[in-house]
């Protein structure tokens, strides 16, 4: 099954609030459409830096601006959309087979990623023409 950029949605995460601040919790099988097998985060991203420039065959992700803000550009080979993330109670769900680029990281921003599978370079498509061919031919 091929997904498209409309399948990549912003999900509102639960907030437990009290006078001393907020906590947001995500549990496998309760708050997520996949089980988390890996967590990583991007930080100390220099001003003006761009990251990404790849797609994944199988990986699903929830991406959260744990601090600060940044923009994802999502591309399904036919259409593109930009998603601005700037709050820790919003996650961007990225489905498999979507090319992504990231830009406009604010100073001190932290991009937290909850990932469905372990790291494997075999899951990456890093060449845009290969990505276009994959989207066309499956
Ligand atoms: C995405 C954004 C938000 C590892 O060794 N293990 C890992 O789990 C990861 C994610 C990366 N790496 C190594 C592989 C590369 O040598 O770290 C280097 C940079 O990785 P990558 O090209 O994946 O980095 P980004 O920031 O361009 O992209 C990553 C995710 O891969 C991507 O799916 O959405 O973070």
């Amino acid at each position: 099954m091929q997904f498209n950029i409309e399948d990549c949605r912003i999900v509102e995460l639960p907030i437990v609030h009290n006078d001393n601040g907020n906590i947001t919790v995500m549990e496998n099988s309760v708050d997520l459409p996949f089980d988390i097998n890996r967590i990583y985060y991007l930080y100390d991203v220099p001003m003006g830096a761009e990251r990404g420039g790849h797609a994944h065959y199988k990986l699903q992700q929830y991406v959260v601006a744990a601090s600060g803000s940044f923009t994802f550009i999502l591309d399904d080979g036919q259409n593109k959309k930009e998603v601005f993330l700037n709050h820790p109670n919003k996650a961007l769900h990225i489905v498999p087979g979507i090319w992504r680029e990231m830009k406009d990281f604010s100073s001190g921003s932290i991009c937290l990623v909850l990932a469905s599978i372990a790291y494997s370079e075999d899951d990456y498509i890093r060449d845009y023409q290969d990505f276009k061919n994959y989207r066309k031919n499956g």
Side-chain angles (χ1 to χ4, degrees):
M1 174 180 174
Q2 280 211 336
F3 296 101
N4 62 50
I5 52 170
E6 298 313 319
D7 298 309
C8 296
R9 297 192 186 97
I10 293 283
V11 180
E12 297 260 343
L13 304 173
I15 301 176
V16 181
H17 171 78
N18 69 30
D19 289 347
N20 299 317
N22 294 330
I23 180 168
T24 287
V25 182
M26 279 170 278
E27 278 187 40
N28 285 343
S29 312
V30 178
D31 305 290
L32 291 142
F34 56 84
D35 277 354
I36 301 169
N37 279 290
R38 177 169 49 126
I39 293 172
Y40 54 93
Y41 41 99
L42 311 178
Y43 56 100
D44 288 348
V45 179
M47 179 136 36
E50 297 185 357
R51 299 188 65 107
H54 58 256
H56 293 277
Y57 292 108
K58 292 188 183 152
L59 180 71
Q60 290 194 66
Q61 295 151 291
Y62 264 25
V63 180
V64 178
S67 182
S69 63
F70 43 81
T71 297
F72 266 68
I73 305 160
L74 303 174
D75 176 351
D76 60 19
Q78 300 234 305
N79 297 298
K80 294 186 187 190
K81 73 174 175 184
E82 290 201 2
V83 180
F84 179 65
L85 288 169
N86 70 343
H87 200 279
N89 90 314
K90 288 188 173 49
L92 171 61
H93 181 198
I94 307 183
V95 293
I98 303 292
W99 188 268
R100 83 288 312 272
E101 291 167 11
M102 297 104 81
K103 64 177 185 178
D104 298 341
F105 288 87
S106 68
S107 174
S109 59
I110 299 175
C111 172
L112 172 67
V113 182
L114 314 178
S116 64
I117 58 173
Y119 171 71
S120 168
E121 193 57 36
D122 291 344
D123 191 56
Y124 282 75
I125 311 172
R126 291 196 183 268
D127 179 87
Y128 191 72
Q129 195 52 51
D130 290 347
F131 168 71
K132 292 283 277 186
N133 293 342
Y134 173 69
R135 291 297 309 204
K136 205 164 148 198
N137 306 319

